[in-house]
Amino acid sequence: MSATESTRSKPRLHVLEAIVDAEDVSPTALEPPLNDVVDPAALDRLFEPTAADDSVRGGHVSFRYRGCDVTISSDGNIKLS
């Protein structure tokens, strides 16, 4: 599985990893929990391959978490600003 496929399959984990790396904090120190800001299961499903032809929907989703604007693109890129 490539990094892009992995990001598409579990973007919630990659968001948490990006925040932990950017802030140099323990994952257990993340407050509020991600699920207080966005539905993690919905986030994971957003860019899953479609059942019809295994293609991935295009686009991106953005939300604010811990003072950062988080943008996840369909190509698996996660941007914090």
Side-chain angles (χ1 to χ4, degrees):
M1 179 180 302
S2 73
T4 299
E5 288 168 343
S6 176
T7 300
R8 282 190 206 133
S9 65
K10 294 293 181 193
R12 76 170 116 185
L13 298 178
H14 294 279
V15 166
L16 294 174
E17 289 171 0
I19 295 286
V20 164
D21 288 345
E23 295 184 6
D24 194 26
V25 296
S26 166
T28 59
L30 294 178
E31 288 293 330
L34 184 61
N35 62 338
D36 282 2
V37 177
V38 66
D39 180 340
L43 192 59
D44 288 349
R45 287 190 308 268
L46 189 61
F47 298 117
E48 285 180 345
T50 61
D53 62 6
D54 209 32
S55 65
V56 177
R57 296 175 197 95
H60 65 274
V61 64
S62 298
F63 57 93
R64 192 140 178 89
Y65 180 58
R66 291 183 53 90
C68 293
D69 292 318
V70 179
T71 301
I72 304 170
S73 300
S74 59
D75 65 2
N77 186 35
I78 297 176
K79 179 182 170 189
L80 304 176
S81 55

